[in-house]
Amino acid sequence: MSFQAPKGTFDWLPPSSEQVLAVREALVAPVRRAGYGYIETPVFEDTQLFARGVGESTDIVSKEMYTFPDKAGRSLTLRPESTASVLRAVLQHGLHNGQLPVKLWYSGSQFRYERAQKGRYRHFWQVGAEALGAEDPALDAELIVLGVQGFAALGLTGVRLLLNSLGDRACRPAYRAALQEFLRGLDLDADTRARIDINPLRVLDDKRPEVQAQLAGAPLVVDHLCAACKAYHEEVRSLLTEAGVAFEDDPRLVRGLDYYTRTTFEFVHDGLGSQSAVGGGGRYDGLSEMLGGPPLPSVGWALGVDRTYLAMEAEGLLAGDATGRLQVYGVPLGDDARRRMFLLVDELRRAGVSADMAFGGKGLKGAMKGAGRSGARFALILGERDLAAQAVQLKDLTTAEQTEVPLAQVVDVLKGKVQ
Ligand code: HAM
């Protein structure tokens, strides 16, 4: 019997696994430069954290959670997102009692039992950043700018920024009622009707053309913002404009999580088909209180690493592969040479030169093939005659030029060449 990775999951293998590591690093470099500290939380949490935090009425909580009892009967859930976990950790450790905002970033696996398709997986990777405990439009703008910079650092040019405001507890209820009244007058199926009561904003997000056609005249939240939310939103918009960040106002942008207030945004890429969001986020001023904490107005985003990789593929940015990391490849011929090469490779690595060697007793031809495939720039060929002369053949695999170097000097010679 042979096993396959579970449906909706896949393995990252070299060389693309190296590229995806580089993607993660590039996406978080801007927030690290902006004073965000690294946080790691468990991949599973008390189920109630997500039920309350993300919201019972969302697809994530009602359909997509990997929930299981542990051996003591506690209900645990593999994290479908990390904002609730980060806030839980902040409250648990009292980080909010120090300097505000608390700025944190993370990188890790997320789990959602979704209908699997290209760009939508059951196990996927996000990097994220959260700024907790400050209500300031400059903080919203900062995070958006840092997200834009992450995508730009990867060379992506096709990422668009969609921006909206969802109002706050002062103005959202009246908007929600107006939207519900409008939706009740439409010709919708039973499931969608049920949604009107539970989560009417999500109906706006229905992708079916027959539903979209009826939504043309739906009331928009931007037209129902209270004065404070309107001023806040205008300030975010003007800071982004001043920072030279292009955005599109999208009054129909609603997000799939219930905790959002005011600023919401999404980064989309048109080369990805229907799963076009490469990242998203917004402000969640009420989440702390929903989790039993003090008022802690906060804002954050998460960027999809797998989808960002796909976007890079769509833009042809992955052409040069990342196999060039190995610098030296050892080719020992015979047992004595193999023993000496084992030590030489170790010495090279200690000196900071990346090195590998042929294993499995390969002959010259097979080992040289291995050297070529390894992507290394140099091969070190060590035969019996070389050993007797205390020398090694150094071959530059890009020019095929070969020189003899004394064994005692080869580490220094290579150190000089690979720098
Ligand atoms: P989200 O929009 O659910 O937000 O996810 C953020 C990003 O994760 C998406 O834009 C997408 O790139 C990626 N993503 C989501 N689901 C999948 C999937 N099934 N397969 C592949 N990639 C996926 C959040 O998770 C919020 N916690 C963001 C946030 C942080 N809001 C405030 N702070």
Side-chain angles (χ1 to χ4, degrees), residues 81 83 112 114 119 121 124 126 130 255 259-260 277-279 300 304:
E81 61 108 48
T83 307
R112 296 182 193 176
E114 299 214 58
Y121 310 112
F124 58 98
Q126 286 181 344
E130 316 284 348
R255 308 247 314 119
Y259 48 61
Y260 290 112
V278 288

Side-chain angles (χ1 to χ4, degrees), residues 24 26 48 73-74 80 92 102 153 155 164 179 203 222 224 243 245-246 255 264 268 320 329 347 361 368 402 405:
R24 275 178 215 170
Q48 279 309 307
R74 301 177 190 92
Q92 179 178 338
V102 182
N164 195 18
L179 181 62
V203 182
V222 279
H224 289 74
V245 168
R255 308 247 314 119
T264 48
V268 294
Y329 194 87
E347 235 182 298
M368 284 309 289
Q402 191 165 314
V405 181

Side-chain angles (χ1 to χ4, degrees), residues 182-183 186-189 192 195 202-218 252:
F182 172 86
L183 294 174
L186 303 184
D187 177 22
L188 299 168
D189 59 88
T192 314
R195 229 179 211 188
R202 290 297 290 168
V203 182
L204 291 180
D205 210 21
D206 199 313
K207 300 280 184 297
R208 291 172 297 178
E210 66 273 23
V211 179
Q212 275 303 322
Q214 297 188 67
L215 292 174
R252 285 168 184 265

Side-chain angles (χ1 to χ4, degrees), residues 22 110 132 159 192 267 297 374:
Q110 315 292 331
L132 304 107
V159 177
T192 314
F267 297 104
S374 76

